[in-house]
Amino acid sequence: MKSAHRFLVLVAAMLTSAASAQVSLAPPPAAPDKAAPDKPAAAPPKPDAPAKPKARPVAKKPAPSPAPAANATPAAPDDPNADLVFGAYQRGLYKTTFDLAMKRVQEKGDPKAMTMLGELYAHGFGLKRDDAKAAEWYKRGADAGDREAMFELAMLRMVGRGGPVNREEAAKLLASSAKLGNPNAAYNLALLYLGGETLPQDLRRAAELMRVAADAGSAEAQYALATFYKEGTGVPKDLEKAARLLQAASLAGNADAETEYAIALFNGAGTPKNEAAAIALLRKAAKQDNPIAQNRLARVLASGQGVPADKVEALKWHTIAKTAGKGDPDLDQALSSMSAEDKAKAEAAVRRWFSTKGP
């Protein structure tokens, strides 16, 4: 029962994150036709609730570079079969992109070009942003069978851009796009099955869809699926599979996965125990503003377990984590006896940290 309750809390957090994340569309469409110690104590610490997955569409392509002159012409590609529309888009030549995409629509009825026009209008690249026109072009691309257009239109329908909110239509579009192999659609459809509002809750189906996206390289899906295996929800409980997925997601730079994988490494849960590697990952995730990593790093630094004790640095990370809402009464007590001089050093380090973050 305790595990089930924790998972339901996790689901709610994922969906809350998704509600805001889905407002922003994923970056450019694909080219056409182509987990730390728990307490500073002698015994190996145990993690508490897992870090929450960030529910958001997975980036499909790098964001384009800033636009140069609006009417510039892209250099001819070395490969004569390369796509001129997408090439211009990647170079930030949005006026050229629009003209070439429109020509392909008019001459060939190309659904990928329709999707590109939707992208230009959705982001206001090279022209005034127009959600209604973006939705219109995405719909034309979706009706013509383009999986990226289906996904992007689903994201608009989910939040009511370019028309009223229509989560049912969004779910159908995501299902169609996922069926055509779009991992972003599979991931977001899994979130709907997790929530149990737009679609009946189906944890097994959510896990299947997460696996599709995870196998395609989505770090967010790898992290979420690792949580499934860790909790045994929708799939058989398997700490080794959870650890492997966390490792994959952490290698892709997912700070939540780095934190959870560090916890697994520190405790030897599903993977050989390796405190040094765990602490290195905690430092990396802490520097990426992950409050759980900051808290766990403060704990090991305060206790000197797996790393030389450093209470000044421990107080620094403890204070930063508290600012983000990750308080820890045990650390408050453990660090309360520090000298005034050491506390002042930690406070200065905290100020330097926040001074580099900007407004």
PDB file of all heavy atoms in Angstrom, residues 32-34 109-115 136-153 173 175-182:
ATOM      1  N   PRO A  32      12.404  15.729 -43.664  1.00  0.00           N
ATOM      2  CA  PRO A  32      11.452  15.010 -44.501  1.00  0.00           C
ATOM      3  C   PRO A  32      12.051  13.742 -45.071  1.00  0.00           C
ATOM      4  O   PRO A  32      13.204  13.703 -45.474  1.00  0.00           O
ATOM      5  CB  PRO A  32      11.098  16.032 -45.581  1.00  0.00           C
ATOM      6  CG  PRO A  32      11.371  17.361 -44.923  1.00  0.00           C
ATOM      7  CD  PRO A  32      12.521  17.130 -44.012  1.00  0.00           C
ATOM      8  N   ASP A  33      11.134  12.725 -45.229  1.00  0.00           N
ATOM      9  CA  ASP A  33      11.473  11.413 -45.816  1.00  0.00           C
ATOM     10  C   ASP A  33      12.738  10.847 -45.155  1.00  0.00           C
ATOM     11  O   ASP A  33      13.464  10.122 -45.743  1.00  0.00           O
ATOM     12  CB  ASP A  33      11.616  11.514 -47.300  1.00  0.00           C
ATOM     13  CG  ASP A  33      10.427  12.190 -47.916  1.00  0.00           C
ATOM     14  OD1 ASP A  33       9.317  11.937 -47.438  1.00  0.00           O
ATOM     15  OD2 ASP A  33      10.607  12.979 -48.833  1.00  0.00           O
ATOM     16  N   LYS A  34      12.785  10.863 -44.385  1.00  0.00           N
ATOM     17  CA  LYS A  34      13.924  10.231 -43.676  1.00  0.00           C
ATOM     18  C   LYS A  34      13.480   9.543 -42.312  1.00  0.00           C
ATOM     19  O   LYS A  34      12.299   9.641 -42.080  1.00  0.00           O
ATOM     20  CB  LYS A  34      14.933  11.363 -43.273  1.00  0.00           C
ATOM     21  CG  LYS A  34      15.343  12.152 -44.387  1.00  0.00           C
ATOM     22  CD  LYS A  34      16.631  12.668 -44.286  1.00  0.00           C
ATOM     23  CE  LYS A  34      16.718  13.730 -45.215  1.00  0.00           C
ATOM     24  NZ  LYS A  34      17.332  14.767 -45.287  1.00  0.00           N
ATOM     25  N   GLY A 109       2.064  18.709 -52.743  1.00  0.00           N
ATOM     26  CA  GLY A 109       1.192  18.350 -51.628  1.00  0.00           C
ATOM     27  C   GLY A 109       1.960  17.649 -50.523  1.00  0.00           C
ATOM     28  O   GLY A 109       1.428  16.742 -49.866  1.00  0.00           O
ATOM     29  N   ASP A 110       3.212  18.058 -50.310  1.00  0.00           N
ATOM     30  CA  ASP A 110       4.108  17.378 -49.378  1.00  0.00           C
ATOM     31  C   ASP A 110       3.680  17.600 -47.926  1.00  0.00           C
ATOM     32  O   ASP A 110       3.702  18.738 -47.427  1.00  0.00           O
ATOM     33  CB  ASP A 110       5.527  17.919 -49.579  1.00  0.00           C
ATOM     34  CG  ASP A 110       6.547  17.217 -48.706  1.00  0.00           C
ATOM     35  OD1 ASP A 110       6.173  16.273 -47.996  1.00  0.00           O
ATOM     36  OD2 ASP A 110       7.726  17.628 -48.743  1.00  0.00           O
ATOM     37  N   PRO A 111       3.304  16.544 -47.190  1.00  0.00           N
ATOM     38  CA  PRO A 111       2.882  16.704 -45.792  1.00  0.00           C
ATOM     39  C   PRO A 111       3.989  17.208 -44.881  1.00  0.00           C
ATOM     40  O   PRO A 111       3.719  17.925 -43.911  1.00  0.00           O
ATOM     41  CB  PRO A 111       2.424  15.291 -45.390  1.00  0.00           C
ATOM     42  CG  PRO A 111       3.051  14.379 -46.378  1.00  0.00           C
ATOM     43  CD  PRO A 111       3.150  15.147 -47.646  1.00  0.00           C
ATOM     44  N   LYS A 112       5.262  16.879 -45.172  1.00  0.00           N
ATOM     45  CA  LYS A 112       6.360  17.379 -44.357  1.00  0.00           C
ATOM     46  C   LYS A 112       6.494  18.893 -44.500  1.00  0.00           C
ATOM     47  O   LYS A 112       6.807  19.600 -43.535  1.00  0.00           O
ATOM     48  CB  LYS A 112       7.675  16.710 -44.765  1.00  0.00           C
ATOM     49  CG  LYS A 112       7.802  15.249 -44.371  1.00  0.00           C
ATOM     50  CD  LYS A 112       7.921  15.100 -42.869  1.00  0.00           C
ATOM     51  CE  LYS A 112       8.126  13.653 -42.467  1.00  0.00           C
ATOM     52  NZ  LYS A 112       8.155  13.499 -40.991  1.00  0.00           N
ATOM     53  N   ALA A 113       6.249  19.393 -45.681  1.00  0.00           N
ATOM     54  CA  ALA A 113       6.291  20.837 -45.894  1.00  0.00           C
ATOM     55  C   ALA A 113       5.141  21.511 -45.155  1.00  0.00           C
ATOM     56  O   ALA A 113       5.293  22.615 -44.620  1.00  0.00           O
ATOM     57  CB  ALA A 113       6.221  21.150 -47.393  1.00  0.00           C
ATOM     58  N   MET A 114       3.987  20.862 -45.114  1.00  0.00           N
ATOM     59  CA  MET A 114       2.856  21.394 -44.347  1.00  0.00           C
ATOM     60  C   MET A 114       3.221  21.496 -42.871  1.00  0.00           C
ATOM     61  O   MET A 114       2.928  22.508 -42.209  1.00  0.00           O
ATOM     62  CB  MET A 114       1.634  20.490 -44.511  1.00  0.00           C
ATOM     63  CG  MET A 114       1.104  20.390 -45.935  1.00  0.00           C
ATOM     64  SD  MET A 114      -0.195  19.125 -46.066  1.00  0.00           S
ATOM     65  CE  MET A 114      -0.450  19.074 -47.846  1.00  0.00           C
ATOM     66  N   THR A 115       3.868  20.470 -42.362  1.00  0.00           N
ATOM     67  CA  THR A 115       4.291  20.475 -40.959  1.00  0.00           C
ATOM     68  C   THR A 115       5.282  21.595 -40.703  1.00  0.00           C
ATOM     69  O   THR A 115       5.232  22.268 -39.664  1.00  0.00           O
ATOM     70  CB  THR A 115       4.927  19.120 -40.596  1.00  0.00           C
ATOM     71  OG1 THR A 115       3.993  18.079 -40.857  1.00  0.00           O
ATOM     72  CG2 THR A 115       5.332  19.079 -39.125  1.00  0.00           C
ATOM     73  N   GLU A 136      -3.840  24.964 -38.358  1.00  0.00           N
ATOM     74  CA  GLU A 136      -4.378  24.624 -39.678  1.00  0.00           C
ATOM     75  C   GLU A 136      -3.367  23.833 -40.496  1.00  0.00           C
ATOM     76  O   GLU A 136      -3.701  22.813 -41.105  1.00  0.00           O
ATOM     77  CB  GLU A 136      -4.769  25.910 -40.411  1.00  0.00           C
ATOM     78  CG  GLU A 136      -5.283  25.690 -41.820  1.00  0.00           C
ATOM     79  CD  GLU A 136      -5.546  26.991 -42.565  1.00  0.00           C
ATOM     80  OE1 GLU A 136      -5.654  28.048 -41.897  1.00  0.00           O
ATOM     81  OE2 GLU A 136      -5.629  26.960 -43.824  1.00  0.00           O
ATOM     82  N   TRP A 137      -2.109  24.292 -40.495  1.00  0.00           N
ATOM     83  CA  TRP A 137      -1.093  23.583 -41.267  1.00  0.00           C
ATOM     84  C   TRP A 137      -0.741  22.235 -40.652  1.00  0.00           C
ATOM     85  O   TRP A 137      -0.538  21.246 -41.365  1.00  0.00           O
ATOM     86  CB  TRP A 137       0.160  24.447 -41.428  1.00  0.00           C
ATOM     87  CG  TRP A 137       0.014  25.497 -42.494  1.00  0.00           C
ATOM     88  CD1 TRP A 137      -0.084  26.846 -42.337  1.00  0.00           C
ATOM     89  CD2 TRP A 137      -0.088  25.248 -43.901  1.00  0.00           C
ATOM     90  NE1 TRP A 137      -0.230  27.465 -43.554  1.00  0.00           N
ATOM     91  CE2 TRP A 137      -0.234  26.512 -44.538  1.00  0.00           C
ATOM     92  CE3 TRP A 137      -0.071  24.106 -44.690  1.00  0.00           C
ATOM     93  CZ2 TRP A 137      -0.355  26.647 -45.919  1.00  0.00           C
ATOM     94  CZ3 TRP A 137      -0.187  24.234 -46.071  1.00  0.00           C
ATOM     95  CH2 TRP A 137      -0.325  25.496 -46.660  1.00  0.00           C
ATOM     96  N   TYR A 138      -0.681  22.186 -39.319  1.00  0.00           N
ATOM     97  CA  TYR A 138      -0.431  20.896 -38.665  1.00  0.00           C
ATOM     98  C   TYR A 138      -1.550  19.907 -38.989  1.00  0.00           C
ATOM     99  O   TYR A 138      -1.297  18.722 -39.228  1.00  0.00           O
ATOM    100  CB  TYR A 138      -0.336  21.064 -37.150  1.00  0.00           C
ATOM    101  CG  TYR A 138       0.976  21.624 -36.655  1.00  0.00           C
ATOM    102  CD1 TYR A 138       1.014  22.507 -35.569  1.00  0.00           C
ATOM    103  CD2 TYR A 138       2.191  21.258 -37.233  1.00  0.00           C
ATOM    104  CE1 TYR A 138       2.214  23.016 -35.088  1.00  0.00           C
ATOM    105  CE2 TYR A 138       3.393  21.764 -36.769  1.00  0.00           C
ATOM    106  CZ  TYR A 138       3.400  22.649 -35.689  1.00  0.00           C
ATOM    107  OH  TYR A 138       4.588  23.142 -35.218  1.00  0.00           O
ATOM    108  N   LYS A 139      -2.789  20.415 -39.029  1.00  0.00           N
ATOM    109  CA  LYS A 139      -3.914  19.513 -39.324  1.00  0.00           C
ATOM    110  C   LYS A 139      -3.817  18.986 -40.742  1.00  0.00           C
ATOM    111  O   LYS A 139      -4.085  17.800 -41.004  1.00  0.00           O
ATOM    112  CB  LYS A 139      -5.257  20.211 -39.112  1.00  0.00           C
ATOM    113  CG  LYS A 139      -6.446  19.254 -39.238  1.00  0.00           C
ATOM    114  CD  LYS A 139      -7.749  19.917 -38.871  1.00  0.00           C
ATOM    115  CE  LYS A 139      -8.866  18.868 -38.793  1.00  0.00           C
ATOM    116  NZ  LYS A 139      -8.910  17.923 -39.902  1.00  0.00           N
ATOM    117  N   ARG A 140      -3.439  19.851 -41.655  1.00  0.00           N
ATOM    118  CA  ARG A 140      -3.284  19.386 -43.032  1.00  0.00           C
ATOM    119  C   ARG A 140      -2.186  18.322 -43.120  1.00  0.00           C
ATOM    120  O   ARG A 140      -2.348  17.302 -43.802  1.00  0.00           O
ATOM    121  CB  ARG A 140      -2.955  20.568 -43.958  1.00  0.00           C
ATOM    122  CG  ARG A 140      -4.139  21.505 -44.206  1.00  0.00           C
ATOM    123  CD  ARG A 140      -3.799  22.604 -45.200  1.00  0.00           C
ATOM    124  NE  ARG A 140      -3.456  22.064 -46.523  1.00  0.00           N
ATOM    125  CZ  ARG A 140      -3.175  22.812 -47.579  1.00  0.00           C
ATOM    126  NH1 ARG A 140      -3.207  24.146 -47.463  1.00  0.00           N
ATOM    127  NH2 ARG A 140      -2.873  22.258 -48.739  1.00  0.00           N
ATOM    128  N   GLY A 141      -1.076  18.549 -42.416  1.00  0.00           N
ATOM    129  CA  GLY A 141      -0.006  17.558 -42.408  1.00  0.00           C
ATOM    130  C   GLY A 141      -0.441  16.266 -41.737  1.00  0.00           C
ATOM    131  O   GLY A 141      -0.121  15.163 -42.206  1.00  0.00           O
ATOM    132  N   ALA A 142      -1.198  16.394 -40.658  1.00  0.00           N
ATOM    133  CA  ALA A 142      -1.672  15.197 -39.947  1.00  0.00           C
ATOM    134  C   ALA A 142      -2.638  14.403 -40.808  1.00  0.00           C
ATOM    135  O   ALA A 142      -2.561  13.169 -40.896  1.00  0.00           O
ATOM    136  CB  ALA A 142      -2.337  15.616 -38.633  1.00  0.00           C
ATOM    137  N   ASP A 143      -3.557  15.106 -41.449  1.00  0.00           N
ATOM    138  CA  ASP A 143      -4.524  14.428 -42.324  1.00  0.00           C
ATOM    139  C   ASP A 143      -3.828  13.730 -43.489  1.00  0.00           C
ATOM    140  O   ASP A 143      -4.340  12.734 -44.016  1.00  0.00           O
ATOM    141  CB  ASP A 143      -5.545  15.434 -42.864  1.00  0.00           C
ATOM    142  CG  ASP A 143      -6.505  15.946 -41.793  1.00  0.00           C
ATOM    143  OD1 ASP A 143      -6.566  15.319 -40.710  1.00  0.00           O
ATOM    144  OD2 ASP A 143      -7.172  16.970 -42.036  1.00  0.00           O
ATOM    145  N   ALA A 144      -2.669  14.263 -43.875  1.00  0.00           N
ATOM    146  CA  ALA A 144      -1.910  13.649 -44.968  1.00  0.00           C
ATOM    147  C   ALA A 144      -0.987  12.538 -44.468  1.00  0.00           C
ATOM    148  O   ALA A 144      -0.245  11.951 -45.259  1.00  0.00           O
ATOM    149  CB  ALA A 144      -1.084  14.714 -45.696  1.00  0.00           C
ATOM    150  N   GLY A 145      -1.016  12.262 -43.159  1.00  0.00           N
ATOM    151  CA  GLY A 145      -0.283  11.124 -42.625  1.00  0.00           C
ATOM    152  C   GLY A 145       1.058  11.402 -41.985  1.00  0.00           C
ATOM    153  O   GLY A 145       1.794  10.456 -41.675  1.00  0.00           O
ATOM    154  N   ASP A 146       1.413  12.672 -41.756  1.00  0.00           N
ATOM    155  CA  ASP A 146       2.709  12.965 -41.156  1.00  0.00           C
ATOM    156  C   ASP A 146       2.647  12.836 -39.638  1.00  0.00           C
ATOM    157  O   ASP A 146       1.880  13.525 -38.965  1.00  0.00           O
ATOM    158  CB  ASP A 146       3.154  14.378 -41.528  1.00  0.00           C
ATOM    159  CG  ASP A 146       4.531  14.694 -40.969  1.00  0.00           C
ATOM    160  OD1 ASP A 146       5.464  13.932 -41.253  1.00  0.00           O
ATOM    161  OD2 ASP A 146       4.667  15.688 -40.230  1.00  0.00           O
ATOM    162  N   ARG A 147       3.468  11.978 -39.073  1.00  0.00           N
ATOM    163  CA  ARG A 147       3.414  11.710 -37.630  1.00  0.00           C
ATOM    164  C   ARG A 147       3.859  12.906 -36.790  1.00  0.00           C
ATOM    165  O   ARG A 147       3.388  13.103 -35.666  1.00  0.00           O
ATOM    166  CB  ARG A 147       4.274  10.492 -37.292  1.00  0.00           C
ATOM    167  CG  ARG A 147       5.772  10.708 -37.411  1.00  0.00           C
ATOM    168  CD  ARG A 147       6.567   9.450 -37.102  1.00  0.00           C
ATOM    169  NE  ARG A 147       7.974   9.759 -36.865  1.00  0.00           N
ATOM    170  CZ  ARG A 147       8.889   8.861 -36.552  1.00  0.00           C
ATOM    171  NH1 ARG A 147       8.546   7.577 -36.458  1.00  0.00           N
ATOM    172  NH2 ARG A 147      10.142   9.214 -36.336  1.00  0.00           N
ATOM    173  N   GLU A 148       4.780  13.726 -37.313  1.00  0.00           N
ATOM    174  CA  GLU A 148       5.211  14.903 -36.567  1.00  0.00           C
ATOM    175  C   GLU A 148       4.083  15.930 -36.482  1.00  0.00           C
ATOM    176  O   GLU A 148       3.893  16.572 -35.453  1.00  0.00           O
ATOM    177  CB  GLU A 148       6.444  15.524 -37.224  1.00  0.00           C
ATOM    178  CG  GLU A 148       7.614  14.582 -37.376  1.00  0.00           C
ATOM    179  CD  GLU A 148       8.153  14.093 -36.043  1.00  0.00           C
ATOM    180  OE1 GLU A 148       7.940  14.785 -35.030  1.00  0.00           O
ATOM    181  OE2 GLU A 148       8.792  13.034 -36.012  1.00  0.00           O
ATOM    182  N   ALA A 149       3.345  16.092 -37.552  1.00  0.00           N
ATOM    183  CA  ALA A 149       2.216  17.009 -37.538  1.00  0.00           C
ATOM    184  C   ALA A 149       1.159  16.537 -36.544  1.00  0.00           C
ATOM    185  O   ALA A 149       0.547  17.349 -35.835  1.00  0.00           O
ATOM    186  CB  ALA A 149       1.616  17.118 -38.943  1.00  0.00           C
ATOM    187  N   MET A 150       0.914  15.238 -36.500  1.00  0.00           N
ATOM    188  CA  MET A 150      -0.036  14.695 -35.525  1.00  0.00           C
ATOM    189  C   MET A 150       0.388  15.041 -34.108  1.00  0.00           C
ATOM    190  O   MET A 150      -0.431  15.461 -33.277  1.00  0.00           O
ATOM    191  CB  MET A 150      -0.125  13.173 -35.678  1.00  0.00           C
ATOM    192  CG  MET A 150      -0.675  12.697 -37.014  1.00  0.00           C
ATOM    193  SD  MET A 150      -0.483  10.898 -37.172  1.00  0.00           S
ATOM    194  CE  MET A 150      -0.959  10.650 -38.889  1.00  0.00           C
ATOM    195  N   PHE A 151       1.671  14.861 -33.837  1.00  0.00           N
ATOM    196  CA  PHE A 151       2.179  15.144 -32.492  1.00  0.00           C
ATOM    197  C   PHE A 151       2.046  16.625 -32.147  1.00  0.00           C
ATOM    198  O   PHE A 151       1.563  16.997 -31.072  1.00  0.00           O
ATOM    199  CB  PHE A 151       3.643  14.713 -32.396  1.00  0.00           C
ATOM    200  CG  PHE A 151       4.315  15.156 -31.132  1.00  0.00           C
ATOM    201  CD1 PHE A 151       4.014  14.546 -29.923  1.00  0.00           C
ATOM    202  CD2 PHE A 151       5.238  16.184 -31.139  1.00  0.00           C
ATOM    203  CE1 PHE A 151       4.618  14.959 -28.741  1.00  0.00           C
ATOM    204  CE2 PHE A 151       5.847  16.602 -29.971  1.00  0.00           C
ATOM    205  CZ  PHE A 151       5.536  15.989 -28.767  1.00  0.00           C
ATOM    206  N   GLU A 152       2.481  17.493 -33.056  1.00  0.00           N
ATOM    207  CA  GLU A 152       2.435  18.920 -32.774  1.00  0.00           C
ATOM    208  C   GLU A 152       1.005  19.427 -32.628  1.00  0.00           C
ATOM    209  O   GLU A 152       0.708  20.251 -31.753  1.00  0.00           O
ATOM    210  CB  GLU A 152       3.164  19.699 -33.878  1.00  0.00           C
ATOM    211  CG  GLU A 152       4.637  19.359 -34.038  1.00  0.00           C
ATOM    212  CD  GLU A 152       5.493  19.786 -32.852  1.00  0.00           C
ATOM    213  OE1 GLU A 152       4.954  20.374 -31.893  1.00  0.00           O
ATOM    214  OE2 GLU A 152       6.697  19.513 -32.885  1.00  0.00           O
ATOM    215  N   LEU A 153       0.109  18.935 -33.453  1.00  0.00           N
ATOM    216  CA  LEU A 153      -1.290  19.334 -33.340  1.00  0.00           C
ATOM    217  C   LEU A 153      -1.869  18.851 -32.014  1.00  0.00           C
ATOM    218  O   LEU A 153      -2.654  19.564 -31.369  1.00  0.00           O
ATOM    219  CB  LEU A 153      -2.103  18.770 -34.513  1.00  0.00           C
ATOM    220  CG  LEU A 153      -3.585  19.160 -34.545  1.00  0.00           C
ATOM    221  CD1 LEU A 153      -3.760  20.683 -34.592  1.00  0.00           C
ATOM    222  CD2 LEU A 153      -4.274  18.518 -35.754  1.00  0.00           C
ATOM    223  N   LEU A 173      -4.741  11.834 -31.630  1.00  0.00           N
ATOM    224  CA  LEU A 173      -3.606  12.228 -32.465  1.00  0.00           C
ATOM    225  C   LEU A 173      -2.308  11.617 -31.943  1.00  0.00           C
ATOM    226  O   LEU A 173      -1.472  11.141 -32.726  1.00  0.00           O
ATOM    227  CB  LEU A 173      -3.491  13.752 -32.498  1.00  0.00           C
ATOM    228  CG  LEU A 173      -4.525  14.482 -33.350  1.00  0.00           C
ATOM    229  CD1 LEU A 173      -4.588  15.957 -32.981  1.00  0.00           C
ATOM    230  CD2 LEU A 173      -4.218  14.314 -34.837  1.00  0.00           C
ATOM    231  N   ALA A 175      -2.040   8.859 -30.253  1.00  0.00           N
ATOM    232  CA  ALA A 175      -2.086   7.424 -30.530  1.00  0.00           C
ATOM    233  C   ALA A 175      -1.697   7.140 -31.977  1.00  0.00           C
ATOM    234  O   ALA A 175      -0.941   6.207 -32.266  1.00  0.00           O
ATOM    235  CB  ALA A 175      -3.471   6.875 -30.221  1.00  0.00           C
ATOM    236  N   SER A 176      -2.208   7.963 -32.892  1.00  0.00           N
ATOM    237  CA  SER A 176      -1.883   7.774 -34.306  1.00  0.00           C
ATOM    238  C   SER A 176      -0.406   8.021 -34.564  1.00  0.00           C
ATOM    239  O   SER A 176       0.247   7.270 -35.304  1.00  0.00           O
ATOM    240  CB  SER A 176      -2.731   8.712 -35.168  1.00  0.00           C
ATOM    241  OG  SER A 176      -4.110   8.401 -35.049  1.00  0.00           O
ATOM    242  N   SER A 177       0.132   9.080 -33.961  1.00  0.00           N
ATOM    243  CA  SER A 177       1.538   9.401 -34.150  1.00  0.00           C
ATOM    244  C   SER A 177       2.431   8.327 -33.540  1.00  0.00           C
ATOM    245  O   SER A 177       3.436   7.922 -34.140  1.00  0.00           O
ATOM    246  CB  SER A 177       1.843  10.762 -33.509  1.00  0.00           C
ATOM    247  OG  SER A 177       3.186  11.133 -33.734  1.00  0.00           O
ATOM    248  N   ALA A 178       2.056   7.840 -32.345  1.00  0.00           N
ATOM    249  CA  ALA A 178       2.840   6.786 -31.693  1.00  0.00           C
ATOM    250  C   ALA A 178       2.824   5.510 -32.516  1.00  0.00           C
ATOM    251  O   ALA A 178       3.837   4.808 -32.628  1.00  0.00           O
ATOM    252  CB  ALA A 178       2.299   6.524 -30.293  1.00  0.00           C
ATOM    253  N   LYS A 179       1.674   5.208 -33.127  1.00  0.00           N
ATOM    254  CA  LYS A 179       1.555   4.004 -33.957  1.00  0.00           C
ATOM    255  C   LYS A 179       2.487   4.077 -35.152  1.00  0.00           C
ATOM    256  O   LYS A 179       2.971   3.049 -35.648  1.00  0.00           O
ATOM    257  CB  LYS A 179       0.109   3.834 -34.412  1.00  0.00           C
ATOM    258  CG  LYS A 179      -0.184   2.510 -35.101  1.00  0.00           C
ATOM    259  CD  LYS A 179      -1.663   2.363 -35.400  1.00  0.00           C
ATOM    260  CE  LYS A 179      -1.957   1.020 -36.061  1.00  0.00           C
ATOM    261  NZ  LYS A 179      -3.410   0.856 -36.333  1.00  0.00           N
ATOM    262  N   LEU A 180       2.772   5.306 -35.596  1.00  0.00           N
ATOM    263  CA  LEU A 180       3.684   5.501 -36.725  1.00  0.00           C
ATOM    264  C   LEU A 180       5.140   5.591 -36.277  1.00  0.00           C
ATOM    265  O   LEU A 180       6.021   5.873 -37.095  1.00  0.00           O
ATOM    266  CB  LEU A 180       3.288   6.754 -37.505  1.00  0.00           C
ATOM    267  CG  LEU A 180       1.946   6.667 -38.260  1.00  0.00           C
ATOM    268  CD1 LEU A 180       1.579   8.028 -38.860  1.00  0.00           C
ATOM    269  CD2 LEU A 180       2.016   5.600 -39.347  1.00  0.00           C
ATOM    270  N   GLY A 181       5.382   5.368 -34.989  1.00  0.00           N
ATOM    271  CA  GLY A 181       6.754   5.294 -34.503  1.00  0.00           C
ATOM    272  C   GLY A 181       7.321   6.546 -33.886  1.00  0.00           C
ATOM    273  O   GLY A 181       8.543   6.636 -33.697  1.00  0.00           O
ATOM    274  N   ASN A 182       6.488   7.532 -33.550  1.00  0.00           N
ATOM    275  CA  ASN A 182       6.989   8.765 -32.949  1.00  0.00           C
ATOM    276  C   ASN A 182       7.181   8.567 -31.443  1.00  0.00           C
ATOM    277  O   ASN A 182       6.205   8.434 -30.706  1.00  0.00           O
ATOM    278  CB  ASN A 182       5.994   9.902 -33.200  1.00  0.00           C
ATOM    279  CG  ASN A 182       6.541  11.254 -32.757  1.00  0.00           C
ATOM    280  OD1 ASN A 182       7.352  11.339 -31.842  1.00  0.00           O
ATOM    281  ND2 ASN A 182       6.081  12.308 -33.396  1.00  0.00           N
TER     282      ASN A 182
END
